[in-house]
Amino acid sequence: GTTSANKDFLMVDFGLSKSIVVPSDSTYADPKHKWANDLWNKPPQFSNQNKQQKKVLQGHLRKERPTAEFRGTSMYASLRVHQSKDYSRRDDMWSLLYVFCDLVSGGLPWMSHAATRDREACRKLKELIHGEVANSDVEETKGTEKNGSSDNVKPTKQIDQIEQLLMGDEHHVTKYNREVAIKKGVEKLPSVSPPLALSR
């Protein structure tokens, strides 16, 4: 804890972490992005402050890799991580947002897919919610239920559906169960629970 009265033990796992700042002479350094913060925490091997090491210790942001393997969990990984893009601080912020939304609402839109380890389904849902793909799947489903066919349905424009992050676990689970029932050809489809009011 932060006080003598607080006896809670807090532990942070940095097993998959890496430094975003590297010395300027490193092969990983991005010469276009100099680290302007003078309070950069220097690695132990660079603790001595002589002139030569000060030059080496000029920090640069780590160069972005063209692609990167998936790291983390499908439940909280950012969309960029699903898309095999290099990780950065922005991905940590998205993961933190997912955690907060999960804690507040009780679940995330892709929670059932994450439980079945369907990483591809998680990626597609995140792309839809972030507005990176046209919302054609949703419109096609509506057209199919109403007219029996979706041949004439046109993809809608790219609009994010970020409010889905706060719709709650009951809504997401029942919606997932309904989608599974539709794929199996079940005649009597289960109902979908209404989203939480805080998502409005």
Side-chain angles (χ1 to χ4, degrees), residues 107-155:
L108 295 172
W110 47 83
M111 58 187 298
S112 297
H113 297 293
T116 58
R117 299 183 182 276
D118 191 345
R119 189 184 299 168
E120 182 68 10
C122 291
R123 178 187 65 80
K124 290 181 177 179
L125 253 179
K126 291 178 184 181
E127 287 179 339
L128 181 67
I129 290 171
H130 284 259
E132 290 202 4
V133 293
N135 191 12
S136 57
D137 293 338
V138 175
E139 295 301 319
E140 285 179 6
T141 302
K142 292 179 181 177
T144 302
E145 292 177 355
K146 185 176 180 180
N147 306 321
S149 174
S150 61
D151 294 339
N152 298 322
V153 176
K154 295 181 179 180

Side-chain angles (χ1 to χ4, degrees), residues 35-42 58:
W35 180 248
N37 191 346
D38 293 334
L39 299 179
W40 173 41
N41 291 322
K42 304 173 182 59
Q58 172 59 60

Side-chain angles (χ1 to χ4, degrees), residues 32-98:
K32 297 180 181 179
H33 295 91
K34 180 180 176 182
W35 180 248
N37 191 346
D38 293 334
L39 299 179
W40 173 41
N41 291 322
K42 304 173 182 59
Q45 62 266 33
F46 298 123
S47 59
N48 296 329
Q49 297 299 309
N50 58 47
K51 292 182 179 181
Q52 184 180 359
Q53 286 180 324
K54 282 184 178 180
K55 183 179 180 181
V56 172
L57 284 174
Q58 172 59 60
H60 282 256
L61 293 180
R62 184 183 290 266
K63 190 186 308 179
E64 183 176 358
R65 295 173 293 178
T67 59
E69 294 182 1
F70 183 91
R71 289 289 185 272
T73 62
S74 296
M75 187 68 167
Y76 302 114
S78 74
L79 176 55
R80 283 174 52 86
V81 172
H82 278 283
Q83 295 172 336
S84 300
K85 296 178 181 178
D86 203 2
Y87 337 118
S88 67
R89 292 169 290 177
R90 114 185 75 189
D91 301 297
D92 293 334
M93 293 297 101
W94 275 112
S95 294
L96 187 60
L97 175 65
Y98 292 157

